[in-house]
Every structure is written in structure tokens, then in C-alpha cells.
Amino acid sequence: MRSWLLKAEARIGVGAVLAAAALLPPLAGLLEGQLVTHLLCQYPLLVGGGAMIGATLALTRLANWTAPSALLAGTLACVFWLVPRWIDAALADQAVNAAKAVCLVILAGLPLGWGWAQAGPVLRGFVWANATAMLAVMGWLQLATPIRLCNSYLLSEQRDLGLALLTLAILALIAGMSRAMLGQWGRPIQ
Amino acid sequence: MRAALATVVVAGLGAAAFWWGTEGGMALTSEAARRLDIAAAPRMLPDVPLYDQTSAKLQLSDYRGAPVVLEFIYATCPDVCLTLGTAFERLDAVLPPGVPLLSLSFDPADGLQRLGWFANRHGAEAPHWRVAGVKDPKARAALLERAGVVVIPDGVGGFVHNAGLYLIDGKGRLSRVFDPEDTKGVLDALLVIEG
């Protein structure tokens, strides 16, 4: 019991450190300097940090019924900060940037980690499949849009993001397929 | 059941947040948000000192009393400013004489010579069509900030900016923003102002 507690504390600590690292001046500036690193390094650090905390908290209490709403809340909070208007706003205004960080850790990361830990295999598969499809659609949109969506970034950076998202979609697809076919995919033993 | 209820509540809150965050789905980009905001609440632009291609000195406020069509350019721009310049050529041909054109450079390196290049390339003749710069960096930054113009380096020595055609009303307020090629939009809006 004692060792489990330490482990949980350590995980919460690591989550907080990840999120804080993405916000501290040297790294934050570097990550926000490029569209790809802003969305695919800083965002995942913030959301992932929150998710580690959320998943650890979920060990303390079994509440399966909260899984779908928590996963939906986390997803919507992520999508909100992917709207080009708010990406630009976060770069233009420190207060908005602070709101973004708090939102991605607490409203996106925490519920995603909590919800994933509470979710059963059907819900997890549903979320994974949808995330894969959305990554592909977002990547394709970035590549197909001839105009700049963010005033703060170049068109070439938008293309880089599109390619990176498509790569992620393929990786997510491979991971999902592997899990479905190589894991315990057979009929449960009664 | 409570899982479904909680999910519906979250979906409702999420929809409300998106409605708020995108002006009811109208402003997914900051550019769209800027244009909506300016059309709804015209912005007073700061009165900055300018110099034009003929080295004449003037104030932005000298234009007050009649509408002006404004664009932000830099003289060595290879792409979007050419579109802007061409749009101004089209406007120059059809605008009533009482509506002046103003091409404002945001590049500190644009001295008289470079403003002259741009003016010559597009046939801009002062005072009806001025190609002007702002010498004072603070005044230039304040003007861009107020107009919502974001200029970033393009990585190969030039700039990229959110280009547009700007309509300033007779009171010196930035009142509309149009796409760089939308001269018809500018003309229609001027008819409304003058109408």
C-alpha cells in the first residue's frame, strides 16, 4: 500500500513537471515559435501532464459512468484550443496563453486521463478510432487549405503540420490495428 | 443513464463554449474575428506622421473629412502586395476623385527610393494615391497593432502579413476590411457611405 501511494505521488509529480516544463520561458518560446512544435509538442506536454494526474486520481475511485462525459469534455477542450483564432489569440496575449495552459491541463488533460482510466474496452476503442480518423482529416485539411489559417504562422508551417498529423494518424492506425489483432481480441472466456 | 445525462450536459456546455469562441461559428480564424469586430465597431486609428513617395510630410489625420482606401504593403514584396497594388490600380481607375488611396509600408527599410519603386510599378500618383511610410517605429507599431495587422518574417528576407483592403471612414475610423482582390466590396461599401 505504501509503495503504491509513493508511486501515485510520483506520477502526479511527473505530470505536473511535464506541464510546467512546457510553460517555462525558454522551452515555451521555442515550442510556440513553430506551428508543429506548438501543437504537437507543447499541447501534448500540457494535456499529457494533466492526463497523468487524472489517470492517477482515477485509481482512488471507481466511477465507470463518468468515463464518456470526461472523455468528451477533454476532447472538446483540446479542439477548442485548436481553433486557429484561439491559437493566434494565445500568441498575441499572455492572459489568453495562461488560460490556454490552465485549460489544456485541467479541462483537457485531467478528464482525458481520468476518463481513459475509467473507460472499458468498447469506449476506448471508439475513442481511439475516432481520434485516428480526426487526425487524418485534420492533416488533410491543413494540406488542402491554400490560405494561412493562423496570422502568426507561415503557410509552409501549416503544410508541415498537415504531414505530421497524417503521420500521427498512420501511427495511431497501426497501434489500434495491432491492439485489435494481436491483443486479447478473441471471445472472452466464460 | 447518468453516464448519458452527464455526456449530454458536457456536449451542451461544449457547444456553448464553441458558439462563444467563434462568434456563432462565424470566426474560426483571427482574421475573420478581426473583420467582424471592425465592421461591428469601427476603430479609431492613431494619428501617425507619414512621408510619401514625393517626400511630402503629412499626418494620417490629414485624410479626415472623406473616406480613404488603405492597404499595408512593403515595397520589395514579391507576392501579395502585387495583388494589393493591382487592386489599387483597378480602384484608381473607377474611384470618384474625392476618395484617395493610401499604400502604407510597414517595412522600416522602405525609404523614399523604395516607395518610389512601388509607386512607379503601379502608376501611383500623389496626392490622389500616396505610397507612404511611417518613420517612427513606435508610431508604426501602434498603427499596425490598432489595425490588427500581424507581420511576421517569411524566412527568406521578406514578410508575410494578413493582407487586405481597408476602408477608413470620414472620421478617421477603420470601418471595414476586405480581401486583397475584393475591389467590388470596397466600391459597394463606398456607395453606402456616400449614398
Side-chain angles (χ1 to χ4, degrees):
Chain A
M1 190 66 197
R2 181 73 191 155
S3 68
W4 178 84
L5 264 180
L6 278 175
K7 204 177 156 209
E9 280 160 6
R11 287 176 62 179
I12 289 176
V14 170
V17 167
L18 281 182
L23 294 173
L24 286 177
L27 194 55
L30 274 179
L31 295 179
E32 288 167 7
Q34 293 261 335
L35 182 58
V36 177
T37 50
H38 188 180
L39 297 197
L40 297 183
C41 295
Q42 194 193 44
Y43 278 32
L45 280 172
L46 294 170
V47 174
M52 280 188 78
I53 300 170
T56 309
L57 292 179
L59 296 175
T60 61
R61 198 173 157 200
L62 186 65
N64 284 348
W65 68 274
T66 59
S69 51
L71 288 171
L72 179 65
T75 307
L76 290 176
C78 282
V79 173
F80 184 91
W81 290 100
L82 291 173
V83 173
R85 177 191 187 179
W86 290 101
I87 296 175
D88 266 338
L91 291 168
D93 187 336
Q94 280 302 313
V96 178
N97 209 10
K100 175 193 87 178
V102 170
C103 204
L104 285 178
V105 175
I106 293 173
L107 291 183
L110 266 179
L112 281 178
W114 172 278
W116 188 262
Q118 303 283 2
V122 174
L123 183 54
R124 285 187 184 187
F126 176 80
V127 168
W128 193 268
N130 274 289
T132 306
M134 284 319 293
L135 282 173
V137 169
M138 271 174 50
W140 170 74
L141 267 178
Q142 299 293 322
L143 289 173
T145 307
I147 54 163
R148 293 188 309 139
L149 296 174
C150 285
N151 281 343
S152 318
Y153 292 112
L154 302 172
L155 196 58
S156 59
E157 295 181 81
Q158 211 164 289
R159 300 230 170 82
D160 293 344
L161 177 65
L163 289 175
L165 286 170
L166 285 182
T167 309
L168 279 180
I170 291 168
L171 291 177
L173 182 69
I174 293 172
M177 298 281 274
S178 313
R179 185 99 174 91
M181 290 180 203
L182 302 176
Q184 295 180 336
W185 54 275
R187 203 172 77 176
I189 299 155
Q190 295 297 315
Chain B
M1 187 61 199
R2 53 185 177 166
L5 270 178
T7 308
V8 168
V9 169
V10 167
L13 289 173
F18 277 91
W19 187 262
W20 171 82
T22 62
E23 314 288 336
M26 301 278 285
L28 288 168
T29 63
S30 49
E31 187 56 19
R34 173 177 80 123
R35 293 183 186 192
L36 280 176
D37 185 52
I38 286 170
R43 300 178 186 175
M44 201 67 202
L45 292 179
D47 182 19
V48 295
L50 308 171
Y51 57 95
D52 75 5
Q53 73 266 42
T54 66
S55 84
K57 292 198 181 336
L58 64 153
Q59 294 284 128
L60 190 58
S61 60
D62 294 345
Y63 279 101
R64 276 179 207 162
V68 195
V69 186
L70 171 73
E71 64 180 6
F72 290 94
I73 52 114
Y74 69 103
T76 50
C77 170
D79 36 56
V80 72
C81 312
L82 294 182
T83 311
L84 289 169
T86 313
F88 261 34
E89 285 176 38
R90 289 208 299 276
L91 285 172
D92 192 31
V94 294
L95 277 185
V99 181
L101 296 162
L102 179 58
S103 302
L104 261 186
S105 167
F106 52 72
D107 185 353
D110 281 351
L112 272 183
Q113 189 190 22
R114 287 205 193 176
L115 295 181
W117 293 347
F118 190 89
N120 287 340
R121 189 190 299 150
H122 297 290
E125 286 184 23
H128 181 60
W129 178 356
R130 283 197 166 95
V131 182
V134 188
K135 196 157 270 163
D136 177 22
K138 271 191 187 158
R140 188 188 316 118
L143 178 63
L144 293 175
E145 159 91 39
R146 190 78 184 118
V149 178
V150 180
V151 180
I152 56 174
D154 69 358
V156 287
F159 301 100
V160 168
H161 65 118
N162 47 339
L165 301 173
Y166 298 79
L167 192 61
I168 313 243
D169 67 13
K171 291 175 189 149
R173 299 179 308 175
L174 174 56
S175 58
R176 293 288 296 274
V177 184
F178 301 91
D179 283 334
E181 61 283 341
D182 189 13
T183 49
K184 188 177 178 304
V186 174
L187 285 172
D188 290 349
L190 275 170
L191 284 177
V192 172
I193 286 185
E194 301 218 315

